[in-house]
Amino acid sequence: MYGLMINELKNVLVAFICTWGLQLLTGITVRNPLTLLYFALFWILGRCKKNEKYDDKKGKMADILWGAASIILSGSVTFFIGRKAVLGFDSGLFRLVGILIIFAGMFLVFVRLKDLPSLIKNIFSKDYSFLAVKGMMQEEKSRKELPFSDLKVLGISAVICFLCYLPYFLYEYPGIMTADSLVQYEQIIGVTPWSNHHPVAHTLVISFFYKLGLAVTGDINKAISFYTVAQMIFMSLCCGAVVLRVKRIVGGIVAPVLSLIFFALVPFNAVFAVTLWKDVPFAGIVMLTGCLLVDMAQKDRGVWSDLIMLFVLLVLLSLFRSNGWYAFLLCIPFMLYFYRDNLIKIAVMVAASVLAVIIIKGPVMTSAGVIQPDFTESLSLPLQQVARVLVNDRALSDEDMELITDVIDTTYIHELYAPDFADNIKELVRAGHPEVIENNKGTYLGLWLTLFAKYPADYIKAWFDLVGGYVYTDFPYDVGNVDGIMANDHGLVPTPLIGGKAVIKGKEILIKLGSFVPIYGMLWCAGAYTWLVIFALIAVLKNGRNKKLAVIMILQAAMIATLLVAAPVIDFRYEYAVVMLMPLTVSICVIIKSEKTAKEY
């Protein structure tokens, strides 16, 4: 029954080894788009091979000779080039493994290149039968389903995720706290005033569990662990909810199990689950929103209970990250259009959500003394672009230069400017006169546009260096490489419950695999998810029967769009909400492809 699937898995494995060998040999990173092209090429060549049959002795002899030649060629390439390609590895074991991967990869590359003429012939004759999945579609109809009820799928998935996150919690006990986390903690204990710079809604949640833990244990470190465990449970349940929707949408065993593997075993999910960042619960809220939108899209008429839940989720979406609020606003026209068969109910829900957020962010926070983020915080990209013009020593008119010096001291701008980090320039503005920009927005918008017209290349380069990693995959940045609690004066210290060299080394290897293994490395790359969202949105709008599902991708695209115009740095966690909704997004595309293929065959 699973014969076709096993053959396809073998084909995928061979294509992966070919890709890995070439990636190491050529010295490109695992996030380089070429790795995807390599994989696609050798996967397609593997499918061509299925159509080639040699029953005569001459054909078998040709295969043997080609195999022998492949061994010689791959050995030569490995010896003369591969040895140098692995010199960058610090470990002798890693160098040996690299050599073996290069040899195996190059051998399979040469073996598969034998089918290149067949591929070229089929392309020129417009015969794409080698890509047909009719047999797999027929098998798909007769496959087994998960032998669990919906509630059990959700519960089992959540428990598995929680158990997989638990070792990280024990190692990072009471949780990972960076500078952002400590700023929120200082608000909770009253050292600094409450601020919505880091969403106050998230700070309040931390405060609730922290004070609960403090009341129970009397220890500030143990109290922090109460929030960490609560976050782990919440994220595990959100993962279970997505796995359940994948089961409902795609069916079978493979898709929901793969989704569960992604959530439970990809290490950055465990690291984020025990890190006190707003991005983590925000991702869970987005996951639940996506699940609810799927449920609503599959119903013929609007249900008020769904609409009330969507109201709650959209308000939370808007309060847990500032770009969540802007993404929601961008999605409103599309929600009204795609759900126009329930236009009145949707319009009421949307209006109520917007009104609630405005009231909470306005009068409620003001009366509570909550400080809002300053205007400078939203100017990461334009400030960086203008700074790039100054750093490049471009010619400016006296009037333009006067507008700039009215705000900042440009003496040390060359030393302070960092192409991939906007906070330095923002702090330079804050140290000067940010109120000048805020009180003369029109004038400084004109300055920004004037310099853009004069030096568009500088603006584009500044944009790409700052946020290009959200659309281009081959950008270097760490993912999940955080540990412990940042040094502080409040008595918060990391107190691991498990440890030792084996644990430390194991975690280090698991994190580093994302920068060592091709294809898998794309899971650690924000830009890869951006393109998946784009392709998924096109697929739904072009071929999907249920266009309402497009709202899920539009929400993801809106969040990415906010990063492209306002993010202060390339950071995987900023796109984490998009990442965690991806199994659902991909599952929708699988169904669209299945429906299209079923029509064709």
Side-chain angles (χ1 to χ4, degrees), residues 216-227:
V216 173
T217 67
D219 183 273
I220 61 172
N221 287 286
K222 292 178 180 178
I224 288 293
S225 72
F226 275 59
Y227 170 79

Side-chain angles (χ1 to χ4, degrees), residues 20 24 86-102 505 509 513 516:
W20 201 351
L24 289 174
V86 299
L87 290 177
F89 295 131
D90 297 330
S91 167
L93 177 61
F94 271 60
R95 286 195 289 269
L96 176 60
V97 171
I99 286 289
L100 293 175
I101 292 170
I102 290 173
K505 195 65 179 178
I509 291 173
L513 283 176
F516 181 66

Side-chain angles (χ1 to χ4, degrees), residues 84-401:
K84 297 178 181 179
V86 299
L87 290 177
F89 295 131
D90 297 330
S91 167
L93 177 61
F94 271 60
R95 286 195 289 269
L96 176 60
V97 171
I99 286 289
L100 293 175
I101 292 170
I102 290 173
F103 175 78
M106 295 311 300
F107 170 72
L108 292 174
V109 164
F110 289 125
V111 168
R112 288 224 156 162
L113 286 177
K114 180 176 181 292
D115 300 296
L116 188 58
S118 175
L119 174 62
I120 295 172
K121 177 183 176 182
N122 289 339
I123 290 175
F124 278 101
S125 63
K126 297 183 179 180
D127 178 13
Y128 302 106
S129 59
F130 58 90
L131 292 176
V133 290
K134 180 180 179 182
M136 294 182 70
M137 286 300 302
Q138 291 173 343
E139 184 178 328
E140 191 82 358
K141 295 177 182 179
S142 61
R143 63 189 172 174
K144 293 181 179 179
E145 298 286 337
L146 284 172
F148 303 114
S149 66
D150 284 357
L151 185 59
K152 286 184 178 179
V153 169
L154 189 154
I156 292 172
S157 299
V159 168
I160 290 174
C161 287
F162 184 85
L163 292 176
C164 289
Y165 301 159
L166 189 58
Y168 288 82
F169 169 67
L170 297 176
Y171 175 68
E172 299 288 0
Y173 185 86
I176 299 173
M177 298 182 71
T178 64
D180 289 354
S181 314
L182 291 174
V183 168
Q184 291 178 278
Y185 179 74
E186 288 174 349
Q187 294 175 34
I188 292 170
I189 63 176
V191 173
T192 57
W194 287 78
S195 167
N196 202 37
H197 179 82
H198 298 291
V200 71
H202 180 229
T203 309
L204 285 169
V205 174
I206 298 175
S207 176
F208 171 81
F209 286 103
Y210 171 76
K211 290 178 179 177
L212 175 64
L214 199 59
V216 173
T217 67
D219 183 273
I220 61 172
N221 287 286
K222 292 178 180 178
I224 288 293
S225 72
F226 275 59
Y227 170 79
T228 309
V229 171
Q231 179 171 276
M232 290 166 62
I233 294 172
F234 174 67
M235 292 305 296
S236 297
L237 289 170
C238 292
C239 293
V242 172
V243 172
L244 174 58
R245 268 60 181 195
V246 171
K247 172 186 174 290
R248 289 177 178 175
I249 292 172
V250 181
I253 296 175
V254 175
V257 169
L258 286 177
S259 300
L260 180 57
I261 288 172
F262 171 76
F263 289 134
L265 297 183
V266 177
F268 60 68
N269 288 324
V271 174
F272 288 169
V274 299
T275 304
L276 278 71
W277 281 338
K278 57 186 175 291
D279 314 88
V280 182
F282 177 74
I285 294 166
V286 172
M287 294 165 77
L288 295 178
T289 304
C291 290
L292 184 58
L293 288 171
V294 165
D295 293 344
M296 291 175 61
Q298 294 176 332
K299 295 177 181 178
D300 293 331
R301 56 194 182 90
V303 178
W304 276 111
S305 59
D306 288 343
L307 293 174
I308 292 171
M309 181 57 67
L310 189 59
F311 162 79
V312 172
L313 288 171
L314 289 176
V315 171
L316 292 175
L317 186 83
S318 304
L319 295 178
F320 268 74
R321 272 200 69 93
S322 56
N323 71 317
W325 167 235
Y326 298 123
F328 168 41
L329 294 177
L330 289 172
C331 285
I332 288 176
F334 301 100
M335 293 179 66
L336 295 177
Y337 174 76
F338 286 110
Y339 287 89
R340 60 189 178 278
D341 52 345
N342 290 289
L343 182 61
I344 300 299
K345 292 181 180 179
I346 292 293
V348 169
M349 182 277 300
V350 167
S353 302
V354 171
L355 183 61
V357 174
I358 291 174
I359 291 173
I360 293 171
K361 281 177 170 282
V364 172
M365 289 191 184
T366 300
S367 63
V370 176
I371 302 170
Q372 294 297 331
D374 61 9
F375 184 62
T376 304
E377 184 61 28
S378 62
L379 299 178
S380 295
L381 181 59
L383 290 178
Q384 198 78 346
Q385 290 171 320
V386 173
R388 185 60 165 260
V389 171
L390 295 174
V391 169
N392 287 343
D393 296 320
R394 305 300 186 190
L396 272 70
S397 67
D398 293 340
E399 293 80 3
D400 291 343
M401 197 63 202

Side-chain angles (χ1 to χ4, degrees), residues 25 71-86 99 102-103 106:
L25 187 70
I71 292 175
I72 296 171
L73 288 171
S74 57
S76 300
V77 170
T78 303
F79 182 79
F80 290 106
I81 304 175
R83 289 186 304 163
K84 297 178 181 179
V86 299
I99 286 289
I102 290 173
F103 175 78
M106 295 311 300

Side-chain angles (χ1 to χ4, degrees), residues 575-590:
E575 202 170 318
Y576 189 54
V578 174
V579 172
M580 293 298 276
L581 200 54
M582 196 53 62
L584 188 61
T585 303
V586 172
S587 296
I588 293 170
C589 292
V590 169

